[in-house]
Amino acid sequence: MPGRCSPPLVGDSGGNVSDRVLVVFGTRPEAIKLAPVVEKLRPGIAVRVCVTAQHREMLDQVLRLFELVPDYDLDLMKADQDLFDVTAGALRALESVIAAERPALLIVQGDTTTTFAAALAAFYLRVPVAHVEAGLRTRDKGQPFPEEVNRRLTAQLADWHFAPTEWARDNLLREGIPEERIAVTGNTGIDALLGVVRRIEAGTVSAPLPPEIEPALDGRRLILVTGHRRESFGAGFENICRALRRIAERYRDVAIVYPVHLNPNVREPVYRYLSGVRGIYLTRPMDYLPFVALMMRAFLIVTDSGGVQEEAPSLGKPVLVMREKTERPEGVAAGVARLVGTDAERIAAGVGELLENPELYAAMARRQNPYGDGCAAERIGRIVRKVLGEKACT
């Protein structure tokens, strides 16, 4: 990839295209996964970074960690925003940025509303799009919501598709994406994770845990929990909380640490069911650096997060996925992750098996990551340089 001249970089408008690359993101996961790409592109390429700040607080700490200084900060975050607010606001604001920059290529990542809006704005302005982490699918447009549809729509708008795995590549081929427009690169989130782990192990960064957590981990097995999915709001989160309470009451040698998402649909049931329960420690959302340190110390991880599903195998941590479907089935196929849904019995039973069965635990704790080897951003950088070199063909 690519084996032929790319389509015109600027369409019927006749405007001039720059030699710049514009990287757009709006949330913490996007920033984590695009930071290595920006780093690998910057030698020799003029890279502009635009953030929508779809998630303000959680985005800013990642920008600091990876020393990313946005050239454009649209600051779209506002209280009680919904998908209509984010989509409309991002689309309108990005129009001005893309029109001003006229980049040779716009790069987006993953499945957020920012990703879709940026790809659509670039399409309207006839600017080509590269999609990092392309091809993930559940084939159910309601799970995850709205991410599954964001990914599908972005695939139709993108010109270049950086698939993390062969399975993701095959999904794109089935949807009619030309083979020469797809490259299997690995997942850039693994690049970011391994880089942070190296910094923690070398002592070049400090990753202090919340003061109430450190004493709780002394001599106890840590179960790290994250949960935030929209499709689990209501009964799903109540079931999750019942399961965690049951685990804490049965296993006195474990500490359950749950950084609770700021969304009130998550916080209300979590604090109602779990506040004050012995062995359960509820915290505010953690910065990425201490969260990685916590993953490194975890015995096992229970999550509905896509990124955590990808990261845990690199650390040798078994993952129980609180979803009925996942767009990342490679971990399940490799035996390092298991789907347990949001049924209280299944979650509690899954945790219990790993706590009580050393053989099962050892089988799932292999350091075998099907999602990447830490070199994805370097591969993407090489491809982008080749794509930019094709401008002479247009």
Side-chain angles (χ1 to χ4, degrees), residues 304-350:
D304 64 10
S305 163
V308 175
Q309 290 178 61
E310 297 161 346
E311 293 166 335
S314 286
L315 303 175
K317 309 300 178 180
V319 187
L320 298 181
V321 182
M322 297 184 295
R323 297 191 193 179
E324 297 299 334
K325 299 179 180 180
T326 179
E327 68 276 39
R328 296 167 171 88
E330 298 93 338
V332 177
V336 296
R338 293 172 63 188
L339 290 174
V340 293
T342 57
D343 178 81
E345 292 288 344
R346 289 172 63 193
I347 296 170

Side-chain angles (χ1 to χ4, degrees), residues 196-197 200-201 291-299 315 317:
V196 169
V197 168
I200 292 173
E201 291 178 338
F291 184 76
V292 170
L294 205 56
M295 284 198 294
M296 293 168 69
R297 295 178 63 173
F299 181 78
L315 303 175
K317 309 300 178 180

Side-chain angles (χ1 to χ4, degrees), residues 55-73:
H55 293 164
R56 178 81 269 171
E57 179 181 346
M58 298 177 75
L59 171 67
D60 286 348
Q61 48 89 13
V62 173
L63 295 176
R64 292 191 294 270
L65 174 63
F66 291 103
E67 299 180 346
L68 284 173
V69 180
D71 299 281
Y72 299 90
D73 189 335

Side-chain angles (χ1 to χ4, degrees), residues 109-390:
Q109 190 280 331
D111 56 15
T112 70
T113 302
T114 289
T115 299
F116 166 58
L120 183 59
F123 170 72
Y124 285 162
L125 291 168
R126 304 298 295 272
V127 170
V129 174
H131 186 199
V132 176
E133 198 184 76
L136 278 63
R137 300 289 186 271
T138 65
R139 304 296 173 193
D140 180 342
K141 68 180 183 180
Q143 297 188 62
F145 177 86
E147 288 82 1
E148 173 73 7
V149 166
N150 285 341
R151 285 188 185 276
R152 294 192 210 179
L153 294 174
T154 300
Q156 298 306 309
L157 296 166
D159 301 276
W160 310 105
H161 307 260
F162 300 136
T165 65
E166 292 289 345
W167 180 83
R169 172 184 176 273
D170 290 345
N171 287 335
L172 293 166
L173 290 173
R174 280 193 293 269
E175 293 171 6
I177 303 299
E179 183 176 5
E180 65 270 19
R181 296 286 167 160
I182 308 169
V184 177
T185 61
N187 196 296
T188 59
I190 307 306
D191 300 27
L193 172 71
L194 296 179
V196 169
V197 168
R198 286 192 292 269
R199 293 165 69 182
I200 292 173
E201 291 178 338
T204 58
V205 293
S206 175
L209 301 180
E212 71 274 18
I213 298 301
E214 191 69 52
L217 303 185
D218 188 24
R220 293 202 278 178
R221 291 180 286 182
L222 166 61
I223 300 174
L224 177 59
V225 178
T226 72
H228 68 282
R229 297 251 38 101
R230 283 184 178 90
E231 56 267 29
S232 297
F233 289 173
F237 267 101
E238 293 191 355
N239 288 336
I240 290 169
C241 292
R242 290 191 188 99
L244 297 177
R245 185 165 188 148
R246 191 175 306 171
I247 294 162
E249 291 170 349
R250 179 173 180 181
Y251 299 98
R252 297 293 183 166
D253 66 332
V254 304
I256 299 173
V257 177
Y258 188 169
V260 185
H261 199 278
L262 297 176
N263 191 305
N265 292 292
V266 178
R267 295 181 66 82
E268 190 283 324
V270 168
Y271 277 90
R272 173 161 47 90
Y273 276 92
L274 302 179
S275 182
V277 175
R278 182 186 181 278
I280 296 181
Y281 301 86
L282 307 178
T283 75
R284 287 181 58 80
M286 289 187 182
D287 288 356
Y288 184 63
L289 188 57
F291 184 76
V292 170
L294 205 56
M295 284 198 294
M296 293 168 69
R297 295 178 63 173
F299 181 78
L300 67 93
I301 299 174
V302 183
T303 188
D304 64 10
S305 163
V308 175
Q309 290 178 61
E310 297 161 346
E311 293 166 335
S314 286
L315 303 175
K317 309 300 178 180
V319 187
L320 298 181
V321 182
M322 297 184 295
R323 297 191 193 179
E324 297 299 334
K325 299 179 180 180
T326 179
E327 68 276 39
R328 296 167 171 88
E330 298 93 338
V332 177
V336 296
R338 293 172 63 188
L339 290 174
V340 293
T342 57
D343 178 81
E345 292 288 344
R346 289 172 63 193
I347 296 170
V351 171
E353 284 186 284
L354 287 168
L355 292 173
E356 297 175 16
N357 187 329
E359 291 78 16
L360 174 62
Y361 181 86
M364 290 188 67
R366 297 169 295 168
R367 285 178 179 259
Q368 174 184 333
N369 196 325
Y371 300 108
D373 58 3
C375 299
E378 183 176 340
R379 296 183 185 103
I380 290 170
R382 290 199 297 266
I383 295 166
V384 168
R385 284 180 170 80
K386 188 171 183 180
V387 169
L388 295 182
E390 290 187 348

Side-chain angles (χ1 to χ4, degrees), residues 31-113:
I32 292 167
K33 292 182 175 185
L34 284 173
V37 176
V38 172
E39 179 185 1
K40 294 299 182 181
L41 289 178
R42 280 207 156 132
I45 295 178
V47 180
R48 299 286 191 269
V49 173
C50 174
V51 300
T52 64
Q54 178 181 333
H55 293 164
R56 178 81 269 171
E57 179 181 346
M58 298 177 75
L59 171 67
D60 286 348
Q61 48 89 13
V62 173
L63 295 176
R64 292 191 294 270
L65 174 63
F66 291 103
E67 299 180 346
L68 284 173
V69 180
D71 299 281
Y72 299 90
D73 189 335
L74 305 182
D75 198 22
L76 296 182
M77 178 73 181
K78 63 181 181 181
D80 300 321
Q81 66 185 358
D82 60 19
L83 293 174
F84 296 95
D85 296 321
V86 178
T87 305
L91 188 62
R92 178 57 70 187
L94 286 165
E95 175 193 8
S96 301
V97 174
I98 298 170
E101 285 290 327
R102 275 295 181 193
L105 187 69
L106 181 137
I107 298 178
V108 293
Q109 190 280 331
D111 56 15
T112 70
T113 302

